[in-house]
Amino acid sequence: MVKSIVITGGPGAGKTAGITYVSSQLPRQYGVHALTVPEAARIVLHGNEISWSEAHAHDQQHSLLALQRPITELQQYLRGLFVRLASEFGREPCVLLFDRGELDGFAYNDPQAFELLLSTLGLSVKSILQSYDAVIH
């Protein structure tokens, strides 16, 4: 059994610190393995000269979605990868703790444009929400 929980919220809200704490306590307190799935936006943007503020300064709609697409694609890839890791390495029962999820993109993009991006990737708000066992904000 692999459960997926996404932790969402604004910058500096304590998501990463909370995930670190919970992932250390689940095995000790409940005998449940915990795998932490890193924040995709941090992977894409960290160490690069690309930023949300730069996208805002240019053609906002195009630039933001140009950043959001690889972030969303990476989130999908990471999800599949960590589910396989949990299953293949006998890490069950297991909880996957996601540092943000696909729908966090709504906070940084025009909602209609973001939904269009999701549909081009074969996703929808409903399908994403149904794919997680819990969303904590």
Side-chain angles (χ1 to χ4, degrees), residues 64-84:
L64 289 174
L65 289 175
L67 280 175
Q68 188 62 56
R69 183 181 183 106
I71 291 169
T72 304
E73 290 171 334
L74 180 57
Q75 286 169 319
Q76 290 286 292
Y77 173 79
L78 289 171
R79 181 196 297 239
L81 173 69
F82 277 81
V83 167
R84 284 192 311 276

Side-chain angles (χ1 to χ4, degrees), residues 15-85:
K15 295 175 301 298
T16 304
I19 288 170
T20 300
Y21 176 77
V22 170
S23 67
S24 72
Q25 295 302 307
L26 282 173
R28 291 182 197 157
Q29 300 288 329
Y30 303 100
V32 173
H33 296 282
L35 296 177
T36 60
V37 183
E39 180 182 356
R42 188 172 291 175
I43 294 170
V44 171
L45 300 174
H46 182 73
N48 296 309
E49 294 182 16
I50 303 168
S51 69
W52 287 113
S53 57
E54 181 183 352
H56 279 285
H58 292 91
D59 173 11
Q60 180 179 359
Q61 192 58 50
H62 174 75
S63 298
L64 289 174
L65 289 175
L67 280 175
Q68 188 62 56
R69 183 181 183 106
I71 291 169
T72 304
E73 290 171 334
L74 180 57
Q75 286 169 319
Q76 290 286 292
Y77 173 79
L78 289 171
R79 181 196 297 239
L81 173 69
F82 277 81
V83 167
R84 284 192 311 276
L85 285 172

Side-chain angles (χ1 to χ4, degrees), residues 71-136:
I71 291 169
T72 304
E73 290 171 334
L74 180 57
Q75 286 169 319
Q76 290 286 292
Y77 173 79
L78 289 171
R79 181 196 297 239
L81 173 69
F82 277 81
V83 167
R84 284 192 311 276
L85 285 172
S87 298
E88 290 177 12
F89 290 95
R91 300 285 190 235
E92 295 186 29
C94 183
V95 174
L96 299 179
L97 298 168
F98 291 84
D99 193 340
R100 294 194 182 228
E102 295 90 332
L103 297 183
D104 280 75
F106 270 113
Y108 301 97
N109 296 280
D110 173 74
Q112 290 177 327
F114 184 68
E115 285 194 52
L116 180 60
L117 171 64
L118 291 178
S119 70
T120 64
L121 297 173
L123 303 168
S124 70
V125 173
K126 183 178 180 179
S127 69
I128 292 169
L129 286 174
Q130 289 177 338
S131 68
Y132 288 108
D133 295 292
V135 177
I136 300 173

